[in-house]
Amino acid sequence: MQHFDKDSIDLFPSRYRASLINSLSGFKSANLVGTVNGEGHTNLAMFSSVVHIGASPALVGLVMRPNSVSRHTLENIRETGQYTINQVSESFWREAHQTSARYEGYESEFECTNLTPSYIEHHDAPFVEQSRLKYALLLREIVPITLNDTLFVIGEITDILCDTDAVMEDGYIDIEKLATVSVSGLDSYHTTARLSRIQYAKPNETAQLISLSGELYPLCDGQ
Amino acid sequence: MQHFDKDSIDLFPSRYRASLINSLSGFKSANLVGTVNGEGHTNLAMFSSVVHIGASPALVGLVMRPNSVSRHTLENIRETGQYTINQVSESFWREAHQTSARYEGYESEFECTNLTPSYIEHHDAPFVEQSRLKYALLLREIVPITLNDTLFVIGEITDILCDTDAVMEDGYIDIEKLATVSVSGLDSYHTTARLSRIQYAKPNETAQLISLSGELYPLCDGQ
């Protein structure tokens, strides 16, 4: 097993370091963030840092770099207080990745990548038509992370759009059926294969595997 | 496509809401956080909220609930300023899930789940021997998220331990080769299958697929 200590981490060349450190957090979510500015100009940007914060209220966070390629996304969220998050699926992962190119402010990533904007009433930010699970958010807080001048942008979910047959009876959404992809490192995309759902764990009991719809398998009874 | 609006989201029963909202962020990382208190008592807890914050300095964040089952992890991190993050792989995902049971403070999840603690010099928190990619962190900041009384715990990586043959020449770590798993919703575990690595995107150029080691495929030249 290789051991990189602090001294060797500090000496990594910049690109090597970015690739390696980005691999450490594990598989990451792949989401497109849709925004619009006050003049109606749309923007779409790839993020692998969307993270669940809480269910009640329904809060989601994402890490943003103010001076990066995603600066227009941040400006639009600040200006309008609105954005959408759209899960990336296998059918358009290359187009989604292409949104991370450094387009000019007057160019819309929708047009440049052939992804299609769509809208709902009472929310101005564009969704990605091709996405099979997406939601609208209102900005709640931008928390500065002073350690490296990034921002933790937190929004509350107001509307959820999802392929109907992926929503299980207990509320679990089968995002594997939606062919949602995940990301590793800076540039690797992956589909998934379910090991299983599993019961809520309790001390001194072995949690049993459960079915996709959240029920114990009959054959597991009494195991 | 099903549309849940704000009113229907507000009316979700609590468990249904937790399952559904937890499915929205996409595939999540699966990591065990190892800690120890001042008396040498070890603790191990499952987290699906580990997120990359930056490569230089090498910062990782995780969302914690102070009153949840993971409260001992938080107490130990506050007390010692040290912790480890250990990627969960296919060979021990059920044991990893079992650490989320509400064990008493005097019980160590290592003993209760048959996972093995291991140590390096100059760092007190335990690693998970079975994990094939793991790292030590020093606490840098605990950022309160007042919207729902959670905490965003940020640490700096000081030591990285990884199976040697998973580290590619350009720094990318092949976490799929390590059989690292991902999580969806509250309780579903998944392995992955790589679609591809892909070039850094540039405007007006189609990013080409690249090999696992980060090079263009010869057949793609000039495409």
Side-chain angles (χ1 to χ4, degrees):
Chain A
M1 191 162 254
Q2 196 157 350
H3 182 167
F4 302 99
D5 63 12
K6 184 80 168 68
D7 290 343
S8 57
I9 294 172
D10 286 344
L11 289 172
F12 286 156
S14 153
R15 283 179 174 231
Y16 184 95
R17 167 199 289 273
S19 285
L20 192 133
I21 302 297
N22 266 281
S23 303
L24 296 185
S25 49
F27 285 103
K28 300 186 267 198
S29 57
N31 288 289
L32 287 167
V33 175
T35 55
V36 64
N37 70 10
E39 296 168 349
H41 187 81
T42 60
N43 187 284
L44 194 61
M46 185 77 181
F47 284 86
S48 63
S49 63
V50 170
V51 64
H52 172 84
I53 296 181
S56 183
L59 298 175
V60 165
L62 73 152
V63 179
M64 300 192 79
R65 290 162 179 71
N67 300 316
S68 76
V69 64
S70 60
R71 67 197 179 286
H72 299 130
T73 298
L74 180 63
E75 288 165 12
N76 293 351
I77 292 176
R78 283 192 199 275
E79 185 176 349
T80 66
Q82 302 189 2
Y83 53 115
T84 70
I85 295 181
N86 306 264
Q87 286 193 6
V88 174
S89 54
E90 189 177 356
S91 63
F92 64 95
W93 72 274
R94 291 186 70 168
E95 290 84 350
H97 178 78
Q98 188 63 33
T99 66
S100 61
R102 191 173 286 272
Y103 293 105
E104 298 296 331
Y106 60 83
E107 297 176 292
S108 170
E109 288 81 5
F110 279 105
E111 287 163 32
C112 297
T113 60
N114 291 321
L115 292 167
T116 316
S118 68
Y119 296 89
I120 58 171
E121 278 188 75
H122 314 301
H123 192 86
D124 293 335
F127 289 93
V128 176
E129 175 73 32
Q130 286 83 354
S131 175
R132 299 165 70 183
L133 173 49
K134 48 203 171 193
Y135 41 103
L137 302 104
L138 296 180
L139 175 65
R140 285 289 176 242
E141 193 172 357
I142 297 181
V143 181
I145 300 175
T146 53
L147 287 163
N148 69 345
D149 294 328
T150 54
L151 301 168
F152 195 48
V153 176
I154 301 173
E156 181 172 352
I157 296 165
T158 59
D159 293 87
I160 303 166
L161 302 174
C162 183
D163 273 9
T164 304
D165 55 0
V167 184
M168 300 291 109
E169 269 188 33
D170 68 346
Y172 173 73
I173 302 178
D174 183 2
I175 65 172
E176 187 164 286
K177 181 176 188 170
L178 300 178
T180 297
V181 301
S182 72
V183 177
S184 70
L186 286 167
D187 57 18
S188 186
Y189 291 81
H190 308 255
T191 57
T192 62
R194 178 173 286 102
L195 289 158
S196 185
R197 294 186 65 187
I198 186 167
Q199 281 184 314
Y200 186 83
K202 295 177 184 171
N204 310 317
E205 286 180 33
T206 302
Q208 300 296 319
L209 304 183
I210 54 178
S211 73
L212 182 53
S213 57
E215 291 150 359
L216 268 180
Y217 290 107
L219 286 175
C220 290
D221 272 359
Q223 275 191 359
Chain B
M1 193 162 253
Q2 196 157 349
H3 181 169
F4 302 100
D5 63 12
K6 184 79 168 66
D7 290 342
S8 57
I9 294 172
D10 286 343
L11 289 171
F12 286 156
S14 153
R15 282 180 174 230
Y16 184 95
R17 169 199 290 274
S19 285
L20 193 134
I21 303 297
N22 266 282
S23 302
L24 296 184
S25 49
F27 285 103
K28 300 186 269 198
S29 56
N31 288 289
L32 287 168
V33 175
T35 56
V36 64
N37 69 11
E39 295 167 351
H41 187 81
T42 60
N43 188 284
L44 194 61
M46 184 76 182
F47 284 87
S48 63
S49 62
V50 170
V51 63
H52 173 84
I53 296 182
S56 182
L59 298 175
V60 165
L62 74 152
V63 179
M64 301 193 79
R65 290 161 180 71
N67 300 315
S68 76
V69 64
S70 59
R71 66 197 179 285
H72 298 130
T73 299
L74 181 62
E75 288 165 12
N76 293 351
I77 291 176
R78 283 192 198 275
E79 185 176 350
T80 65
Q82 301 189 1
Y83 52 115
T84 70
I85 294 181
N86 306 262
Q87 286 194 5
V88 174
S89 54
E90 190 178 355
S91 63
F92 63 97
W93 72 274
R94 292 187 69 167
E95 290 85 350
H97 178 77
Q98 188 63 34
T99 65
S100 61
R102 192 174 285 271
Y103 293 104
E104 298 295 332
Y106 61 84
E107 298 176 292
S108 170
E109 288 81 4
F110 279 106
E111 286 163 32
C112 298
T113 60
N114 290 321
L115 292 168
T116 316
S118 67
Y119 296 89
I120 58 171
E121 278 188 76
H122 314 301
H123 193 85
D124 294 334
F127 290 92
V128 176
E129 175 73 31
Q130 287 82 351
S131 175
R132 300 166 69 183
L133 173 49
K134 48 203 171 194
Y135 41 104
L137 302 102
L138 296 180
L139 175 65
R140 284 289 175 244
E141 191 172 356
I142 297 182
V143 182
I145 300 175
T146 53
L147 287 163
N148 70 343
D149 294 328
T150 53
L151 301 168
F152 195 49
V153 176
I154 302 173
E156 182 172 352
I157 296 165
T158 58
D159 293 87
I160 303 166
L161 303 174
C162 183
D163 272 11
T164 305
D165 55 0
V167 184
M168 301 292 108
E169 268 188 36
D170 68 345
Y172 173 73
I173 303 179
D174 184 2
I175 65 172
E176 187 164 285
K177 182 175 188 171
L178 301 178
T180 296
V181 301
S182 72
V183 177
S184 69
L186 286 166
D187 57 19
S188 186
Y189 290 81
H190 308 256
T191 57
T192 62
R194 177 173 287 102
L195 288 159
S196 184
R197 294 186 65 187
I198 187 167
Q199 281 185 313
Y200 185 82
K202 295 178 184 171
N204 310 316
E205 285 181 34
T206 301
Q208 300 297 319
L209 304 183
I210 54 178
S211 73
L212 182 54
S213 56
E215 291 151 359
L216 268 180
Y217 290 108
L219 286 176
C220 291
D221 271 1
Q223 275 188 359

Short mmCIF file of all heavy atoms in Angstrom, two decimals, chain B residues 3 55 57 69 105 108 121 125 130 182 189 200 221:
data_model
loop_
_atom_site.label_atom_id
_atom_site.label_comp_id
_atom_site.label_asym_id
_atom_site.label_seq_id
_atom_site.Cartn_x
_atom_site.Cartn_y
_atom_site.Cartn_z
N HIS B 3 -44.79 15.63 -10.96
CA HIS B 3 -44.39 16.94 -10.45
C HIS B 3 -44.86 17.08 -9.00
O HIS B 3 -46.07 17.15 -8.75
CB HIS B 3 -44.99 18.04 -11.32
CG HIS B 3 -44.61 19.44 -10.90
ND1 HIS B 3 -44.87 20.54 -11.66
CD2 HIS B 3 -43.97 19.91 -9.80
CE1 HIS B 3 -44.42 21.62 -11.03
NE2 HIS B 3 -43.88 21.27 -9.89
N ALA B 55 -8.16 21.16 -3.75
CA ALA B 55 -6.98 20.29 -3.84
C ALA B 55 -5.75 20.93 -3.18
O ALA B 55 -4.85 20.23 -2.75
CB ALA B 55 -6.68 19.96 -5.29
N PRO B 57 -5.04 24.06 -0.44
CA PRO B 57 -4.79 22.86 0.37
C PRO B 57 -5.83 21.78 0.13
O PRO B 57 -6.91 22.07 -0.38
CB PRO B 57 -4.89 23.40 1.82
CG PRO B 57 -5.80 24.58 1.72
CD PRO B 57 -5.49 25.19 0.39
N VAL B 69 -27.08 9.75 15.39
CA VAL B 69 -26.31 8.57 15.77
C VAL B 69 -24.80 8.82 15.63
O VAL B 69 -23.99 8.11 16.24
CB VAL B 69 -26.78 7.37 14.92
CG1 VAL B 69 -26.48 7.60 13.45
CG2 VAL B 69 -26.21 6.06 15.39
N GLY B 105 -22.08 4.67 23.70
CA GLY B 105 -20.78 5.31 23.64
C GLY B 105 -19.64 4.38 24.04
O GLY B 105 -18.52 4.53 23.56
N SER B 108 -17.45 -0.02 20.71
CA SER B 108 -16.75 0.41 19.50
C SER B 108 -17.37 -0.29 18.30
O SER B 108 -17.53 -1.52 18.29
CB SER B 108 -15.27 0.07 19.57
OG SER B 108 -14.69 0.31 18.29
N GLU B 121 1.97 6.22 12.22
CA GLU B 121 2.67 7.09 13.17
C GLU B 121 2.15 8.51 13.08
O GLU B 121 1.72 8.96 12.01
CB GLU B 121 4.17 7.10 12.84
CG GLU B 121 4.93 5.92 13.41
CD GLU B 121 6.43 6.11 13.21
OE1 GLU B 121 7.05 6.90 13.94
OE2 GLU B 121 6.96 5.47 12.28
N ALA B 125 -6.12 8.80 15.20
CA ALA B 125 -7.40 8.19 14.81
C ALA B 125 -7.18 6.89 14.04
O ALA B 125 -6.21 6.77 13.30
CB ALA B 125 -8.20 9.18 13.97
N GLN B 130 -9.47 -2.83 6.30
CA GLN B 130 -10.06 -3.40 5.08
C GLN B 130 -10.17 -2.39 3.93
O GLN B 130 -10.35 -2.78 2.78
CB GLN B 130 -11.45 -3.97 5.38
CG GLN B 130 -11.47 -5.27 6.18
CD GLN B 130 -11.32 -5.07 7.69
OE1 GLN B 130 -11.04 -3.97 8.18
NE2 GLN B 130 -11.46 -6.15 8.44
N SER B 182 -20.95 3.11 -4.07
CA SER B 182 -21.64 4.38 -3.87
C SER B 182 -23.02 4.10 -3.29
O SER B 182 -23.46 2.95 -3.26
CB SER B 182 -21.72 5.18 -5.17
OG SER B 182 -22.65 4.59 -6.04
N TYR B 189 -26.95 0.45 -2.02
CA TYR B 189 -25.51 0.43 -2.30
C TYR B 189 -25.27 -0.08 -3.72
O TYR B 189 -25.99 -0.98 -4.18
CB TYR B 189 -24.78 -0.44 -1.28
CG TYR B 189 -24.79 0.18 0.10
CD1 TYR B 189 -25.90 0.09 0.94
CD2 TYR B 189 -23.69 0.90 0.56
CE1 TYR B 189 -25.92 0.67 2.20
CE2 TYR B 189 -23.69 1.48 1.82
CZ TYR B 189 -24.81 1.37 2.63
OH TYR B 189 -24.82 1.96 3.87
N TYR B 200 -10.52 17.25 -20.68
CA TYR B 200 -10.96 18.56 -20.21
C TYR B 200 -11.71 19.25 -21.35
O TYR B 200 -11.25 19.26 -22.48
CB TYR B 200 -9.71 19.36 -19.82
CG TYR B 200 -10.00 20.70 -19.19
CD1 TYR B 200 -10.31 20.80 -17.84
CD2 TYR B 200 -9.95 21.86 -19.96
CE1 TYR B 200 -10.56 22.04 -17.26
CE2 TYR B 200 -10.20 23.10 -19.39
CZ TYR B 200 -10.50 23.17 -18.05
OH TYR B 200 -10.77 24.39 -17.48
N ASP B 221 -7.62 9.74 -32.58
CA ASP B 221 -6.83 10.85 -33.13
C ASP B 221 -7.55 11.48 -34.32
O ASP B 221 -7.97 10.80 -35.24
CB ASP B 221 -5.46 10.35 -33.60
CG ASP B 221 -4.45 10.41 -32.48
OD1 ASP B 221 -4.84 10.82 -31.38
OD2 ASP B 221 -3.29 10.02 -32.70
#
